[in-house]
Amino acid sequence: TRTSSSSSMTVTFLSGGSGAGGFNGSLAGQTMSAGWLQVPGTLTLNLTSLLSSAAPSGVDRLLFQISVINSNASVAGKGPCSSSCTDNSTSVNVALSFALSTVAKIGGDSRPMVGYSRPGVFLVSASSTSLGPSTYYSTDYAPSSRAAAAGDGLPLRVYDPVVSGTFSQSSSNPCDQNTIQVKLNSNVPIYQTCGSGLGVAITLSGLFGTVTPDSSAFTLGSATAPLISSAVWSNTKGSLVLSASGTLLLGTDYVITMAVQNQAAAKLAASVNVSVTWMNVVTIPMYVPDNFAALYIAKLDWAVKTASQSTPWPCAANTITVHLQPTVSLLLCKANATDSNPGYPVLTISNLVGSTTSSSSSLAVASTSGVFAPSGIWNLAVSSLVLNVTSPMNATQIYNFSIALTNQAVGQIA
């Protein structure tokens, strides 16, 4: 357990059973302080005063409970003991000491206790090595999201946390504003604290592919309570750290949304992992291989990429018209998360070989599309035109622009 050692752990005596099978007698409902040692995990009860108050009938069946904090790691649980009920390292053991004084013991007993698959630890009687559950007081254990399973009630059984989830996004377009939705579900409750006040932090990692800057107070679009809507975002680490104001229940979907800006470069979907502080989480990567998986960014290509001219005659003035339609919308882009001067893409039209038009830093560009700069950079030496895009280019539209060049005197193929 994570419960620290104490000389005054509260022990509560419960009632249960009836007649000869009753527990605690007049002790039922009373409490006492006991000694608890976290290591090696022992509880020591001095029953002298309590048993004296139960005279003359005495008590031959004790039923009590203590409260501890479970380990943050998987534990197999204690019991049942072996068939011979000898000392078994997988069982809880009990030692009874009967003494006239603190030094003179007049008798004693030590043997394993048996766990049953409901809450409780039970001492095997001297005449039997196995007693059915009806012999003992117990309570059913049934979490709201699933039925009780064999072994749930074995003392200090702790399950491996398994957090699963799904991931989706609103846009795979480069440079676009993208709303990411994360849905988390755990097979165990995730408590706000564990042990000595360790706060819970749920970290999503692998979130690479954005130009959204780091923030220690990143505002989520939405968050299912008790998740808090302010998180810690690191673009460099590709991580989002969530916190909670209360317990996350097992078997319950918790959903957050976050707004980011996609990077310009194409990439495959992120393989996102989740981890929880103080829990050894078994993570199921949240990867879905399609356009709406987390931070999949589509590659730019051209649905239309053609050019035409006005004349094939040597030395003639020739109007070259270019027709373009991108497969993804071309938007205002940041080079990285710290870029404070975003810009639109720059087009380079190359291999325009066969002109005698001199190089120019301001070659006139004619267009009715409204998305191109009025002039571009013409380089005769490499036969290319560099042209700035000044507004978004939609993936559903064909855009045109024209430039005037002079044909060379020598014939050539296109």
Side-chain angles (χ1 to χ4, degrees):
T1 81
R2 295 181 65 88
T3 301
S4 301
S5 297
S6 172
S7 60
S8 56
M9 174 174 279
T10 300
V11 175
T12 302
F13 292 90
L14 307 176
S15 61
S18 61
F23 289 94
N24 291 331
S26 60
L27 297 182
Q30 296 191 47
T31 62
M32 68 171 292
S33 293
W36 165 252
L37 292 178
Q38 184 180 19
V39 179
T42 58
L43 181 74
T44 303
L45 296 82
N46 187 337
L47 299 174
T48 301
S49 59
L50 286 174
L51 292 178
S52 297
S53 68
S57 60
V59 175
D60 64 356
R61 289 171 178 256
L62 292 175
L63 175 66
F64 61 86
Q65 68 180 22
I66 59 173
S67 177
V68 297
I69 299 173
N70 285 345
S71 166
N72 63 329
S74 175
V75 180
K78 302 298 184 181
C81 66
S82 60
S83 59
S84 60
C85 264
T86 58
D87 190 5
N88 188 328
S89 62
T90 64
S91 299
V92 178
N93 287 271
V94 62
L96 303 177
S97 298
F98 306 95
L100 293 175
S101 68
T102 57
V103 294
K105 295 185 178 181
I106 61 171
D109 191 11
S110 179
R111 67 181 64 152
M113 301 178 86
V114 172
Y116 179 60
S117 58
R118 296 180 180 184
V121 181
F122 312 110
L123 176 61
V124 176
S125 73
S127 61
S128 175
T129 59
S130 60
L131 294 173
S134 61
T135 309
Y136 297 102
Y137 177 91
S138 62
T139 57
D140 289 332
Y141 175 81
S144 59
S145 63
R146 67 169 176 85
D152 278 353
L154 292 177
L156 298 176
R157 170 71 167 101
V158 179
Y159 285 101
D160 271 321
V162 178
V163 178
S164 58
T166 58
F167 228 116
S168 62
Q169 67 177 11
S170 63
S171 175
S172 61
N173 202 101
C175 306
D176 202 3
Q177 298 298 317
N178 188 3
T179 299
I180 293 175
Q181 182 186 83
V182 186
K183 182 185 293 183
L184 299 173
N185 193 301
S186 174
N187 71 322
V188 299
I190 298 177
Y191 296 103
Q192 184 183 6
T193 59
C194 183
S196 54
L198 296 176
V200 64
I202 303 169
T203 301
L204 305 175
S205 57
L207 293 169
F208 296 107
T210 83
V211 291
T212 301
D214 294 355
S215 174
S216 60
F218 184 84
T219 301
L220 301 175
S222 62
T224 305
L227 292 176
I228 296 172
S229 60
S230 180
V232 178
W233 164 251
S234 171
N235 180 278
T236 306
K237 297 178 181 178
S239 66
L240 183 73
V241 181
L242 307 171
S243 55
S245 60
T247 299
L248 275 64
L249 303 178
L250 73 161
T252 301
D253 288 336
Y254 292 91
V255 181
I256 66 155
T257 60
M258 58 183 293
V260 298
Q261 184 177 3
N262 292 341
Q263 67 181 27
K267 66 178 290 291
L268 296 176
S271 182
V272 181
N273 293 314
V274 59
S275 60
V276 182
T277 51
W278 56 257
M279 294 174 70
N280 299 320
V281 175
V282 177
T283 300
I284 301 175
M286 295 178 288
Y287 172 78
V288 182
D290 60 34
N291 287 12
F292 295 98
L295 294 173
Y296 167 81
I297 299 177
K299 180 181 179 180
L300 169 62
D301 206 343
W302 299 98
V304 175
K305 183 177 61 175
T306 61
S308 59
Q309 67 177 9
S310 62
T311 178
W313 308 132
C315 303
N318 192 359
T319 300
I320 307 296
T321 302
V322 177
H323 316 269
L324 296 172
Q325 180 184 350
T327 55
V328 297
S329 296
L330 302 185
L331 306 173
L332 191 67
C333 282
K334 296 171 64 175
N336 52 55
T338 59
D339 183 7
S340 60
N341 187 29
Y344 287 100
V346 177
L347 300 179
T348 299
I349 311 299
S350 58
N351 206 31
L352 293 170
V353 178
S355 172
T356 59
T357 302
S358 299
S359 295
S360 172
S361 61
S362 58
L363 182 70
V365 174
S367 175
T368 59
S369 299
V371 299
F372 302 115
S375 65
I377 300 172
W378 166 248
N379 189 325
L380 177 61
V382 295
S383 304
S384 69
L385 176 74
V386 177
L387 180 61
N388 288 331
V389 175
T390 58
S391 297
M393 292 181 66
N394 196 299
T396 62
Q397 183 175 342
I398 298 175
Y399 298 87
N400 306 309
F401 68 86
S402 299
I403 57 174
L405 299 176
T406 300
N407 290 344
Q408 67 184 16
V410 180
Q412 67 170 14
I413 61 174

